Each structure stands twice: as C-alpha cells, then as structure tokens.
Amino acid sequence: QVQLVESGGGSVQAGGSLRLSCAASSDTSSFSCMAWFRQAPGKEREAVAGIFRGSGYTAYADSVKGRFTISRDAAKNTAFLQMDSLQFEDTAVYYCAARTSSCLGSYLLEKNRFDFWGQGTQVTVSS
C-alpha cells in the first residue's frame, strides 16, 4: 500500500516562503505524475501544480504561476513545492497526490485523475 507523507507546512508572514515535501512510502516507479492540491476552510479542493515524473513537465494554477515551483526527485520518490511571495489567500491544507496510470498534461490539475493522496499539511499565511 502506497502512502504519501507531506511535510514542511507551517506559519509564515505574507511575502515569505515555505517548501513542502511529499515522500512516498514505497517504490514510485509506477507513478506517472504527481501533484499538489489545496483546500481552504469552506472551499473546494483546488489544484496548485502538477509534474510528470519522467520528463518533469509541469502545470500550474493561474493563482500561483510565477510564485510557486513544483519539482521532483524521481530517485528519492519525492515531490516538492517551493512557495514564494506567499499571500494570505494561500492559507490552506496542502495535499500531495500521485497517479499510477498514464498521465496527460491536462490531467495534472484535475483532482479526480489521482489515485493516491497524502494526509495534508497546514500552511498559514498571516497578513
């Protein structure tokens, strides 16, 4: 059973930075792509960024373009989310997700395309 574990969340002032990590508990050689989603209180879970495990192709939600960077270390089965210029509106629980079957670019920001999810890590940005 694959488990995804997020870390790196916390509290930061607006304009600050955080780096999230997502580690898989088993060999992720079958993962085709990974992504980050977030959910604020009272809101739907929304896409943040996604990445192809092999090529490293990425996709971002418009709200984070230019501020967030997704990356992966395929050898260490880990995905990262570097978050810079954080805003109050970025406050949410951030979830890591992974997909095992083939992945298309359009899938990277669609939560229903992912098979495995982490438990989430809280990010709080104070204004």
Side-chain angles (χ1 to χ4, degrees), residues 50-81:
I51 187 168
F52 283 1
R53 183 179 182 274
S55 69
Y57 172 84
T58 59
Y60 294 90
D62 288 342
S63 59
V64 305
K65 281 181 182 177
R67 301 188 298 120
F68 290 11
T69 303
I70 188 172
S71 60
R72 87 275 185 253
D73 185 332
K76 295 184 178 180
N77 307 325
T78 303
F80 305 95
L81 185 68

Side-chain angles (χ1 to χ4, degrees), residues 85-127:
S85 302
L86 281 161
Q87 303 169 355
F88 176 76
E89 294 74 21
D90 295 318
T91 295
V93 177
Y94 283 71
Y95 297 91
C96 176
R99 176 179 171 88
T100 53
S101 50
S102 60
C103 193
L104 300 179
S106 60
Y107 292 179
L108 291 178
L109 301 181
E110 296 181 10
K111 58 181 180 290
N112 293 333
R113 299 292 187 179
F114 289 86
D115 309 302
F116 299 99
W117 291 83
Q119 293 299 308
T121 185
Q122 176 70 46
V123 171
T124 303
V125 184
S126 57
S127 57

Side-chain angles (χ1 to χ4, degrees), residues 1-23:
Q1 180 72 19
V2 175
Q3 288 185 322
L4 300 175
V5 180
E6 303 97 336
S7 62
S11 297
V12 64
Q13 289 188 330
S17 299
L18 285 173
R19 181 176 171 85
L20 305 183
S21 297
C22 171

Side-chain angles (χ1 to χ4, degrees), residues 16-38:
S17 299
L18 285 173
R19 181 176 171 85
L20 305 183
S21 297
C22 171
S25 61
S26 64
D27 179 18
T28 59
S29 60
S30 62
F31 285 179
S32 58
C33 53
M34 299 180 76
W36 289 93
F37 293 79
R38 67 186 182 186

